[in-house]
Amino acid sequence: MEQLEPVHEPAVHAGGAAVVRLTQLGIDPGRLAVALDAGDVAARQADQFSPVTAAGTYRWMETVRMLRQGLAGDGWTANDDRNSPRIINPVGALAIVPVRGTPDTGIADGQPKTARPRGPASSRAVQINGQLEFEFVAMLADMAAEKSDSVVTWFLLYHRAQHDALRAELSLPVRITEKGHVDAWLERIILPMRTFGPQLVVPRDAGGGDDVEFDIAAR
């Protein structure tokens, strides 16, 4: 069984403190809200004839699109290195990637994780954050041999609850397990819960095929 060293408790910002922290990072909270809402609308386009992964895939794709479109209006730049879609701030120091999380997402005293294993691009991003705690040295050696950059990557972590709530947070990953799940964070910025009427049913994402990530160098 995989054994990981414990990490410190993350700094958690909620309510007014979350708005202050987002402002410090140069992020308009409204851009995040629009992207999350757009993702929920897209997920509801799946029906009984859609593939079982459709709702999650539609949600992720539209969340990515609207997040990047919105922040591009503030001078951010869309980037697809290694086919991992992110958006980078105007000074090139901070990036955001939308990722589906587990049920503890958006709960201040929760312990969220990424819902699906992450690919090599996310592993590299966590390493660049300076807090990667892998147990396999070979992966670290491979990543260290590559040209690095100073971009700090945050995850826009989201989770659609069973009924009518969408919880989300903007969080800074600091550890990824050998199996690829991010399970520890340096900071967590809790976003306001999005609520929808119970009549707005979202089909269950049975396959989890949402946040797709490949390790293919961009041309």
Side-chain angles (χ1 to χ4, degrees):
M1 179 180 294
E2 181 181 19
Q3 298 293 326
L4 293 175
E5 293 296 324
V7 295
H8 65 276
E9 289 296 317
V12 179
H13 313 277
V19 175
V20 170
R21 185 64 180 124
L22 289 173
T23 300
Q24 292 173 343
L25 294 172
I27 300 170
D28 180 352
R31 302 297 194 191
L32 306 182
V34 168
L36 292 167
D37 286 348
D40 205 75
V41 171
R44 295 197 295 269
Q45 306 312 303
D47 59 21
Q48 71 269 30
F49 303 111
S50 302
V52 293
T53 59
T57 301
Y58 292 170
R59 179 187 302 279
W60 175 74
M61 291 174 63
E62 191 64 6
T63 302
V64 169
R65 189 180 77 86
M66 291 304 295
L67 177 70
R68 302 209 295 182
Q69 182 184 94
L71 288 175
D74 297 333
W76 293 52
T77 303
N79 178 279
D80 292 289
D81 284 352
R82 298 187 179 277
N83 282 1
S84 179
R86 56 182 181 168
I87 184 80
I88 302 176
N89 73 350
V91 297
L94 182 153
I96 301 175
V97 178
V99 178
R100 184 164 62 95
T102 53
D104 270 4
T105 297
I107 299 175
D109 59 354
Q111 296 181 324
K113 302 176 183 179
T114 53
R116 298 179 62 238
R118 307 303 304 161
S122 285
S123 299
R124 289 181 177 87
V126 176
Q127 187 222 13
I128 289 169
N129 287 351
Q131 302 290 332
L132 187 63
E133 295 182 19
F134 267 128
E135 294 210 341
F136 40 99
V137 177
M139 174 69 85
L140 282 174
D142 175 67
M143 291 187 293
E146 297 192 18
K147 182 179 179 180
S148 180
D149 57 39
S150 59
V151 177
V152 174
T153 301
W154 292 68
F155 284 178
L156 176 57
L157 206 64
Y158 58 83
H159 177 79
R160 183 60 144 90
Q162 188 70 21
H163 301 294
D164 65 344
L166 174 66
R167 296 191 298 272
E169 59 187 79
L170 186 68
S171 295
L172 186 62
V174 295
R175 186 174 70 188
I176 189 167
T177 70
E178 188 175 26
K179 294 182 179 179
H181 292 275
V182 173
D183 70 343
W185 315 88
L186 182 63
E187 284 190 67
R188 299 176 59 215
I189 304 173
I190 307 301
L191 304 177
M193 184 171 64
R194 323 298 298 167
T195 55
F196 312 93
Q199 73 277 9
L200 298 179
V201 177
V202 175
R204 184 173 69 94
D205 175 27
D210 48 353
D211 37 1
V212 182
E213 185 178 280
F214 302 95
D215 186 23
I216 303 174
R219 291 183 179 274

